[in-house]
Amino acid sequence: MGVDNVERLIDKFGRPITDLRIAITDRCNYKCVYCRTGNQGAQYAELAFSDYARVARVFAGLGIEKIRITGGEPLLRRGVVEFVEELARLRTLDGSVLDLAITTNGHLLAELAQPLKDAGLRRVTVSMDAVEPERFTRITRVPNAFENVLAGIREAQKAGLDPVKVNCVLLRGFNDDQIVEFGKFARSEGVIVRFIEFMPLEEDRVWSPQIVVTLKEILERMQAFRPLVEIPHTRSETARRYMFDDGVGEIGIIAPVSQPFCGHCSRVRLTSDGKIRTCLFSLFDHDLHAVMRRGGSDQDMAGYIRNVVEQKEARHHIGEAGFEKPSRSMVHIGG
Ligand code: SAM
């Protein structure tokens, strides 16, 4: 069948599915207080890179255009550079290279940024929840780690990964005093800072509506520091984007809690153990790896994926009565 005849993945609500996130481990070297209890380690298996690569190839044949490697902490896995090299050989249905990105805590990025870039990685998102070293340690529960992350960010820029984004999850009373500091950081380091509203996806029970620092509040506090000008965004973009009035420094806000964007969701996720999750808040997952273990062909996998995508949830129900916590927490899904 020519590529023109391939039916691209689309769910029953008409949303095209173009974005795949692959978790390559659920191990993490950080114990961020809002994510992990600090007591639990890895809970799920890791597959061979050849299995993830096969999944990626089948998805690319169904219209996926973007792949983000995540975890757990993806840079903990040996072979990640070679994996990126393999993904870089894939093509979209239009014959373009895939848009390859990675989300990392940045701890091991300084030495891996250039090899990852050379392997074909386009961009990187570094998670960082404070710009003050001491505060950073309180959040990650790893001493002296801030310098590593800062070095990672700078090496990523030097290597030409573009853009380098820094994601920050704010918790009221914990790091919300860092908002303006992050604005200054965006300006001085030339990175795009994106604030993400805290979602009920933690191992523990930390989340409450009151602890979420909303888009509206972040904007008000940042505007008091310096006026912001909104950058027009496309319908499918998850972040609302802003530039400071003098053109120096971009920030974005991703507001899944106060302004959900499920109507434009284009994502599916593969967990480290080969399960498909159609929503961060799914109550169950779909065992694609079982199809592979049974000796299924690429066509069998494609059929299975189509069927799963059909079942993608309309939206999440954060903050509503009867909200059920998903069957896995963020670190075990892949953020
Ligand atoms: N270890 C990598 C990292 O630190 O970026 C990748 C995995 S981590 C789970 C991915 C992202 O999810 C991080 O930016 C983290 O801050 C974010 N995250 C974790 N728990 C979250 C939650 N409950 N709500 C919103 N974001 C969360």
Side-chain angles (χ1 to χ4, degrees):
M1 197 194 284
V3 289
D4 292 344
N5 302 327
V6 173
E7 266 184 57
R8 291 168 190 262
L9 282 178
I10 187 158
D11 74 6
K12 63 173 178 288
F13 303 104
R15 294 174 295 194
I17 304 302
T18 53
D19 184 347
L20 173 67
R21 299 190 164 210
I22 303 180
I24 59 175
T25 183
D26 70 338
R27 285 178 287 139
C28 192
N29 46 351
Y30 282 8
K31 289 181 283 207
C32 298
V33 287
Y34 63 88
C35 185
R36 304 184 53 204
T37 58
N39 304 321
Q40 293 178 351
Q43 287 180 32
Y44 298 96
E46 293 170 7
L47 305 185
F49 276 120
S50 54
D51 283 340
Y52 299 130
R54 182 174 174 207
V55 169
R57 179 162 47 81
V58 171
F59 265 102
L62 295 170
I64 287 288
E65 292 168 354
K66 251 161 88 171
I67 295 184
R68 180 174 292 276
I69 302 169
T70 181
E73 173 45 43
L75 300 189
L76 284 178
R77 240 191 117 171
R78 274 206 197 162
V80 64
V81 173
E82 292 75 11
F83 179 50
V84 169
E85 247 167 37
E86 194 151 0
L87 294 182
R89 284 196 279 271
L90 297 176
R91 292 293 173 269
T92 66
L93 288 176
D94 303 328
S96 315
V97 289
L98 290 158
D99 181 4
L100 297 179
I102 211 162
T103 299
T104 169
N105 60 28
H107 194 81
L108 301 171
L109 185 59
E111 59 198 66
L112 282 168
Q114 190 65 58
L116 285 167
K117 167 72 180 167
D118 295 344
L121 193 74
R122 185 176 293 177
R123 51 209 178 91
V124 66
T125 300
V126 179
S127 306
M128 198 174 107
D129 302 309
V131 289
E132 285 168 15
E134 272 171 38
R135 183 68 57 87
F136 189 80
T137 299
R138 265 184 63 205
I139 295 175
T140 57
R141 294 187 273 192
V142 173
N144 308 320
F146 181 77
E147 289 306 319
N148 287 24
V149 178
L150 190 58
I153 289 170
R154 290 177 176 165
E155 286 303 317
Q157 287 173 311
K158 249 193 244 163
L161 291 165
D162 187 26
V164 175
K165 289 184 186 160
V166 170
N167 277 4
C168 166
V169 176
L170 293 170
L171 272 71
R172 187 176 311 287
F174 208 79
N175 63 346
D176 55 332
D177 63 343
Q178 299 281 292
I179 293 175
V180 169
E181 295 309 311
F182 267 110
K184 294 178 186 166
F185 187 80
R187 292 165 64 80
S188 63
E189 294 289 328
V191 294
I192 300 174
V193 170
R194 298 201 309 186
F195 299 100
I196 303 176
E197 288 177 349
F198 181 45
M199 296 178 276
L201 282 166
E202 71 284 26
E203 282 180 346
D204 233 336
R205 298 255 163 195
V206 179
W207 194 89
S208 71
Q210 293 73 32
I211 207 170
V212 179
V213 185
T214 61
L215 176 139
K216 183 168 173 284
E217 188 176 339
I218 298 168
L219 272 184
E220 279 168 8
R221 289 167 67 172
M222 196 65 94
Q223 297 263 29
F225 160 59
R226 245 205 117 96
L228 291 164
V229 181
E230 184 157 9
I231 303 170
H233 66 287
T234 58
R235 231 177 75 87
S236 60
E237 248 177 311
T238 51
R240 301 279 291 270
R241 300 168 56 200
Y242 305 85
M243 186 68 90
F244 287 103
D245 61 337
D246 61 354
V248 180
E250 179 179 333
I251 66 150
I253 306 175
I254 302 181
V257 180
S258 70
Q259 300 194 13
F261 40 81
C262 305
H264 315 147
C265 182
S266 56
R267 295 178 186 167
V268 287
R269 291 176 159 82
L270 187 80
T271 61
S272 64
D273 57 338
K275 311 271 166 66
I276 302 175
R277 288 184 75 87
T278 46
C279 173
L280 274 174
F281 294 92
S282 293
L283 297 176
F284 47 85
D285 37 42
H286 306 268
D287 197 352
L288 179 61
H289 191 236
V291 179
M292 299 162 77
R293 284 197 308 272
R294 285 198 297 269
S297 64
D298 286 4
Q299 252 185 344
D300 294 334
M301 288 168 67
Y304 184 83
I305 290 167
R306 281 193 193 286
N307 185 36
V308 165
V309 162
E310 268 288 300
Q311 299 168 54
K312 186 170 162 69
E313 296 80 345
R315 64 186 183 89
H316 69 64
H317 297 275
I318 301 175
E320 295 174 17
F323 169 79
E324 276 185 73
K325 232 183 149 187
S327 55
R328 291 195 194 205
S329 55
M330 188 70 128
V331 67
H332 305 295
I333 297 172

